[in-house]
Amino acid sequence: MRVSRRALLSRAGAAALGSMLPLRRGFTADNTKEYRLTAKPALVNLTGDHYPNTAVWSYDGSVPGPEIRVRQGDPVRIVVSNGLGEDTTVHWHGIRLPNAMDGVPGLTQKPIRPGESFTYEFTPPDAGTFWYHPHADSLQQLGRGLAGALIVEERESPAVDRDLIWFIEDWRLADDGRIAPGFGNRMEAGMSGRIGNTVTINGRVPETVSVKAGGRLRLRIVNAMLARVVGLRFADHLPVVVAYDGQPCDPHPLEDGRLVLGPAMRADLILDMAGVPGRSYAVTDDFYRDLAYKLVDLAYGPEKPTRDHPPDRLPKLPANPLPEPDLAAAERHQIALQGGMMSGKGMMGMGMMGNGGATWAMNGMSMIGDGQNDMSPLVALKRGQSCVLVLRNETAWWHPMHLHGHSFRIISRNGKPTTRREWRDTVLVPPRETVEIAFVADNPGDWMFHCHVTDHQEAGMMAVLRIS
Ligand code: C2O
Ligand code: CU
């Protein structure tokens, strides 16, 4: 896997981060907030003014798509029109919503055909940092740029000086700026997935993010990449994690000094700007040891600090109304993650030849593509049942496993209870490790449960969990 330094390091003036495009939104008579999104091709500049533009697939002409911002408990209506040459849908990742609004073609809705539209309506019960993306031809549609942030604001937001989002995407660009072909490459699909050569924040290869000494930031980080896991280090700064995947956690410093986020995962950080005016501090990603790179510089303005020392109290986010699983009464289900290269079961692991082209499986079953309605569920649960899923990764690769329509607690890793028992909607399972998650199956319907390394999802690591 080669990463072009030129692409990663290309720079052209300070990118204007955090200045998202103006929103197209309105309020309807019943006070539902309404948005319109059109999925369509667009030409954008990802790498800087002196570099070629890139033809992408976008929502409303921009990558990432418009930021959708609603208040917890307020209804929202989003009319999605399809201006692409192929079917699409939108999945509201992490939102606990009715099954019919979940955006999985063939399972929860008919695909949105070219030229048609579909109206999504839901009321987000949880405040936090979420995102949206297609669930049709996912590898290409997400890989060509269809994704955006969905922020649900708390009724009372914690006091910070600035609320900033870093929507991180990863592109594989050719030298002429075009998105390189070859989506779904077999070899890659059986390994780490399609990792790009160009990382953008809010749609641009960043040079610096301007900050002011003494300020307090709430930094919302979204890993919207197809396959890349990041491990972010903040030189000389001490960020505090206050939420994972939109769900508040006990505030704590970064484990081992870095923030590890697999594809689809998010974290909210409180970052006190304790640096020296006029200086710059690097944020680096060294998840893959040989491929460490500088993501961006935090560049301090020359002004004197706005405060002598940071406010001593950390803002605590109000808890979301999540149902608490009853572990004593919980049903336990074992789920083995299988397949891929170097699994120890032959070159391509199990299933490569005989399983309809699948490279990956869960308990020997492989669902490929974007989901189908003829797949028998991997797990069936009664509504209201507490449940523990034991995820055993038998493969040599990392898998960020995402459950639709629910958030779950991470209760153990390799048999050891976790200390924070944090809530998440996507859990990163390291190679050969076992993670237990617990939740209440309170949301009826057929829900996707899949790896969010998009190549893995499309090549078989996907299943349906039925709640009735
Ligand atoms: Cu981000 Cu099936 O989801
Ligand atoms: Cu995976």
Side-chain angles (χ1 to χ4, degrees):
M1 177 187 6
R2 290 226 345 214
V3 171
S4 147
R5 293 286 152 168
R6 185 203 65 77
L8 275 177
L9 300 175
S10 53
R11 297 286 187 266
L17 293 179
S19 58
M20 301 297 291
L21 292 174
L23 305 177
R24 280 171 56 204
R25 66 168 187 223
F27 285 94
T28 53
D30 61 353
N31 214 26
T32 299
K33 205 168 185 179
E34 188 166 299
Y35 287 84
R36 285 171 186 281
L37 289 179
T38 303
K40 60 179 186 191
L43 200 60
V44 300
N45 187 284
L46 300 172
T47 45
D49 294 336
H50 304 296
Y51 293 94
N53 291 339
T54 301
V56 298
W57 293 354
S58 74
Y59 292 112
D60 286 13
S62 70
V63 292
E67 181 181 298
I68 294 179
R69 219 172 235 273
V70 291
R71 282 226 302 172
Q72 182 176 21
D74 281 355
V76 58
R77 177 181 304 136
I78 306 158
V79 183
V80 176
S81 303
N82 184 359
L84 303 171
E86 61 180 48
D87 293 355
T88 194
T89 60
V90 179
H91 171 57
W92 313 96
H93 185 115
I95 305 281
R96 298 186 295 132
L97 41 57
N99 194 246
M101 297 292 118
D102 198 41
V104 182
L107 190 70
T108 70
Q109 70 168 93
K110 287 211 202 73
I112 313 171
R113 307 258 181 236
E116 294 185 351
S117 64
F118 185 90
T119 301
Y120 293 93
E121 282 181 291
F122 52 89
T123 301
D126 303 325
T129 303
F130 301 93
W131 67 300
Y132 62 94
H133 62 78
H135 225 284
D137 191 13
S138 301
L139 194 49
Q140 282 217 68
Q141 292 193 12
L142 183 57
R144 291 186 183 277
L146 288 166
L150 169 50
I151 306 297
V152 184
E153 293 175 342
E154 294 85 13
R155 292 259 141 198
E156 273 171 57
S157 294
V160 291
D161 299 310
R162 193 171 162 205
D163 187 327
L164 185 66
I165 181 156
W166 285 1
F167 197 86
I168 306 182
E169 291 165 287
D170 179 32
W171 313 79
R172 184 177 293 175
L173 300 181
D175 276 340
D176 60 2
R178 266 192 294 200
I179 293 175
F183 286 96
N185 171 305
R186 263 294 169 86
M187 193 70 145
E188 251 170 22
M191 301 174 70
S192 58
R194 181 176 164 114
I195 292 188
N197 54 17
T198 304
V199 175
T200 59
I201 298 182
N202 302 343
R204 267 282 182 130
V205 174
E207 182 179 29
T208 59
V209 172
S210 306
V211 295
K212 283 202 183 84
R216 172 168 274 184
L217 280 185
R218 174 176 186 171
L219 180 55
R220 304 172 185 260
I221 302 182
V222 182
N223 180 343
M225 313 204 236
L226 285 180
R228 186 190 286 267
V229 182
V230 295
L232 302 180
R233 291 184 193 275
F234 294 75
D236 299 327
H237 285 71
L238 294 171
V240 173
V241 185
V242 292
Y244 288 115
D245 296 353
Q247 302 297 350
C249 58
D250 290 334
H252 61 276
L254 302 184
E255 266 167 59
D256 303 321
R258 73 178 188 174
L259 176 69
V260 173
L261 293 178
M265 299 168 76
R266 291 90 66 209
D268 285 37
L269 306 179
I270 296 294
L271 187 55
D272 285 321
M273 306 317 299
V276 177
R279 292 259 296 263
S280 285
Y281 300 84
V283 179
T284 49
D285 170 11
D286 65 0
F287 183 79
Y288 306 98
R289 228 176 305 137
D290 303 338
L291 295 174
Y293 63 98
K294 181 166 79 174
L295 177 65
V296 70
D297 270 324
L298 300 174
Y300 280 75
E303 314 83 13
K304 282 215 299 280
T306 51
R307 288 187 188 86
D308 294 339
H309 46 79
D312 24 69
R313 277 212 299 138
L314 271 180
K316 198 168 157 51
L317 301 176
N320 282 323
L322 292 158
E324 190 61 50
D326 175 354
L327 293 185
E331 270 183 22
R332 289 172 66 84
H333 295 271
Q334 310 279 336
I335 297 176
L337 311 178
Q338 302 157 320
M341 300 274 278
M342 298 179 275
S343 67
K345 290 183 184 159
M347 242 301 261
M348 287 302 247
M350 48 130 348
M352 186 64 189
M353 310 301 165
N355 226 343
T359 306
W360 303 92
M362 298 163 74
N363 287 354
M365 287 163 75
S366 299
M367 178 189 274
I368 56 172
D370 298 289
Q372 303 136 220
N373 46 14
D374 56 354
M375 184 89 181
S376 50
L378 182 69
V379 176
L381 297 163
K382 279 262 157 308
R383 184 177 184 179
Q385 175 69 49
S386 286
C387 152
V388 171
L389 301 182
V390 183
L391 309 177
R392 199 174 69 247
N393 183 354
E394 297 178 350
T395 82
W397 304 92
W398 295 75
H399 303 293
M401 301 301 299
H402 170 49
L403 175 61
H404 286 209
H406 300 77
S407 287
F408 45 77
R409 277 195 191 280
I410 317 284
I411 59 169
S412 86
R413 287 186 180 268
N414 302 315
K416 262 188 61 191
T418 56
T419 46
R420 275 184 277 276
R421 306 177 78 248
E422 74 266 23
W423 290 99
R424 286 189 179 269
D425 60 48
T426 306
V427 59
L428 189 58
V429 190
R432 316 278 181 212
E433 294 196 11
T434 297
V435 176
E436 287 183 314
I437 63 174
F439 62 100
V440 180
D442 63 337
N443 201 352
D446 277 357
W447 299 101
M448 278 298 181
F449 182 50
H450 64 85
C451 179
H452 224 290
V453 170
T454 319
D455 284 282
H456 297 182
Q457 171 196 341
E458 302 249 304
M461 196 171 282
M462 178 161 57
V464 167
L465 201 136
R466 175 166 296 164
I467 300 171
S468 46

